[in-house]
Amino acid sequence: VRVTGIVGDEANGITMPGAAVEVVGQPEATVYTDVDGRYVVELAPGAYELKVVMDGYRESLTRVEVAAGARVVDANIGITMAAFAETV
């Protein structure tokens, strides 16, 4: 089953190219978003957690249910900027 989605900044909606989208427990299934923040990963039916990692942003976990017989599952993921401490 094809799982597709867009990774974007929750605060301003900007898409995030180059973000790593990992299927938790299956690091070999890690994919990266394209220039438009889109990703595609093929998964067997079941329940999964998708982990998104991007420099400067908090790690995000999203649960995805892939039903038997489904052809495509849409799973858009929002990420939030990490707090930065200013050093002078």
Side-chain angles (χ1 to χ4, degrees):
V1 177
R2 178 173 286 181
V3 177
T4 66
I6 297 174
V7 175
D9 186 307
E10 284 187 339
N12 57 28
I14 294 174
T15 58
M16 307 304 294
V21 180
E22 175 187 330
V23 179
V24 174
Q26 299 180 27
E28 69 282 355
T30 299
V31 296
Y32 293 87
T33 57
D34 66 12
V35 296
D36 296 318
R38 296 180 186 277
Y39 72 93
V40 176
V41 62
E42 296 285 337
L43 296 173
Y48 299 92
E49 278 193 317
L50 300 180
K51 178 170 72 173
V52 176
V53 179
M54 177 109 184
D55 286 342
Y57 286 82
R58 292 190 183 117
E59 185 178 283
S60 173
L61 286 173
T62 301
R63 187 163 178 79
V64 175
E65 297 283 337
V66 178
R71 295 184 65 169
V72 177
V73 174
D74 291 319
N76 293 332
I77 302 170
I79 57 177
T80 56
M81 188 173 276
F84 289 105
E86 186 174 336
T87 308
V88 181

